[in-house]
Amino acid sequence: MALFTARRGFLPGEDLPWAEEYRRRLEEIRVAALECYAAVALGVGGSELAPGERSARELVAAAPYRERAHALLMQILAARGNGAEALRVYEALRERLRDDLGAAPAPELRELQAELLRR
């Protein structure tokens, strides 16, 4: 699976300038695979939600400005009955975007937050 291969990295611990492009590409593959896995886990539900949450958390850590990552984590948390924690994920992203970029979350993320507040 691409995710497990990408997690190993490319020549870890080696200081090779030519390897940096390969490392960047492998990181892009890892992030895409994490996003895909989290989305599939959310769709399957049930016992897949716990590993999906771990993948979504890893995704958020790897790509802290990727709003889709936060949305997936929020949805998985809500599906697991952790609505308050899902709202905390939203708030942390909102603050990060505001403080670091002077931006607000996308409308889709704000709608997800509003939906969670209505529950």
Side-chain angles (χ1 to χ4, degrees):
M1 177 180 217
L3 178 56
F4 302 119
T5 301
R7 278 181 175 151
R8 289 191 300 239
F10 182 74
L11 297 174
E14 297 293 329
D15 185 23
L16 304 167
W18 61 267
E20 287 307 312
E21 179 59 32
Y22 293 101
R23 288 180 179 134
R24 276 191 294 279
R25 179 67 185 123
L26 196 57
E27 180 61 12
E28 290 170 8
I29 291 168
R30 182 176 78 92
V31 166
L34 284 167
E35 185 172 325
C36 183
Y37 185 84
V40 169
L42 178 63
V44 171
S47 64
E48 288 300 313
L49 290 174
E53 180 182 340
R54 286 190 299 274
S55 291
R57 287 186 185 282
E58 184 179 344
L59 175 59
V60 165
Y65 297 98
R66 193 178 190 123
E67 291 179 302
R68 175 73 175 137
H70 290 80
L72 284 167
L73 179 55
M74 290 169 64
Q75 291 169 322
I76 289 171
L77 288 168
R80 296 190 75 197
N82 295 320
E85 191 171 347
L87 290 168
R88 288 185 60 219
V89 169
Y90 175 85
E91 186 59 23
L93 174 63
R94 187 191 66 75
E95 289 174 1
R96 171 173 282 159
L97 292 174
R98 180 197 65 210
D99 295 347
D100 295 355
L101 305 175
E108 297 82 13
L109 215 52
R110 293 194 308 264
E111 289 172 18
L112 177 55
Q113 183 235 15
E115 179 185 323
L116 290 170
L117 287 170
R118 284 192 296 272
R119 289 184 188 176

